[in-house]
């Protein structure tokens, strides 16, 4: 399994080099990108592109192209989502699962079809949305349904 996170603010999909090794993807396609992390300047990065095959909740294989980076991100201990559970009492428990530890895959806006879409429930300015991964996570990844704040 991989820890994945969707980020509509990111313009690229990234995969950690550790995940590439674990998935035994072999050599990627050499690629140069200019990367800007929030709060820093653009920098040139020599990397490799990989095609990842992800299975969605309906069993359909979704291919994404991801640039390998040393580290994608890390999530600390979970937040207390009890207030959100009260706002969305009909949501399945899996909707409140969040990845912890190292993030293996960041899905950016370039893979729009994999990002949250389709409001399931709206409470004030908060929306519970669906993803191709469903509400919770499929066995092949940890892609939670998005809670948009």
């Amino acid at each position: 399994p991989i820890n994945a996170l969707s980020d509509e603010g990111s313009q690229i999909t990234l995969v950690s080099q550790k995940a590439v090794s674990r998935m035994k993807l072999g050599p990627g396609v050499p690629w140069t990108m200019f990367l800007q992390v929030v709060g820093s300047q653009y920098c040139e990065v020599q990397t490799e592109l990989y095609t990842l095959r992800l299975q969605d909740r309906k069993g359909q294989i979704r291919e994404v192209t991801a640039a390998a980076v040393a580290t994608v991100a890390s999530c600390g201990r979970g937040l207390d989502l009890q207030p959100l559970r009260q706002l969305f009492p009909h949501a399945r428990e899996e909707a409140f699962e969040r990845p912890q530890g190292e993030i293996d895959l960041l899905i950016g806006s370039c893979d729009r079809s994999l990002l949250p879409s389709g409001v399931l429930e709206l409470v004030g300015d908060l929306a519970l949305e669906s993803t191709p991964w469903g509400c919770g996570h499929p066995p092949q990844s940890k892609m939670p349904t998005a809670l948009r704040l």
Side-chain angles (χ1 to χ4, degrees), residues 11-24:
Q11 297 175 1
I12 190 167
T13 295
L14 301 172
V15 63
S16 72
Q17 291 171 341
K18 284 182 183 179
V20 167
S21 295
R22 276 198 328 268
M23 292 185 275
K24 298 177 176 44

Side-chain angles (χ1 to χ4, degrees), residues 90-105:
H90 300 100
R92 294 183 0 209
E93 188 62 28
E94 293 86 0
F96 303 102
E97 290 183 2
R98 292 294 171 262
Q100 291 187 13
E102 288 188 38
I103 300 298
D104 300 309
L105 179 66

Side-chain angles (χ1 to χ4, degrees), residues 1-6 13-25 52-55 62 64 66 72 97-107 114 133 136-144:
I2 60 171
N3 270 342
L5 186 67
S6 61
T13 295
L14 301 172
V15 63
S16 72
Q17 291 171 341
K18 284 182 183 179
V20 167
S21 295
R22 276 198 328 268
M23 292 185 275
K24 298 177 176 44
L25 294 179
L52 307 177
R53 296 170 48 85
L54 308 172
Q55 186 174 8
R62 309 279 193 126
V64 299
V72 173
E97 290 183 2
R98 292 294 171 262
Q100 291 187 13
E102 288 188 38
I103 300 298
D104 300 309
L105 179 66
L106 182 141
I107 299 177
L114 302 179
W133 320 113
H137 61 276
Q140 290 77 14
S141 67
K142 285 196 175 267
M143 178 60 67

Side-chain angles (χ1 to χ4, degrees), residues 86-142:
Q86 293 172 355
L87 287 174
F88 297 101
H90 300 100
R92 294 183 0 209
E93 188 62 28
E94 293 86 0
F96 303 102
E97 290 183 2
R98 292 294 171 262
Q100 291 187 13
E102 288 188 38
I103 300 298
D104 300 309
L105 179 66
L106 182 141
I107 299 177
S109 61
C110 59
D111 290 301
R112 185 152 308 282
S113 68
L114 302 179
L115 294 175
S117 64
V119 174
L120 299 174
E121 191 173 349
L122 190 62
V123 177
D125 292 336
L126 299 175
L128 179 66
E129 296 182 315
S130 64
T131 73
W133 320 113
C135 199
H137 61 276
Q140 290 77 14
S141 67
K142 285 196 175 267

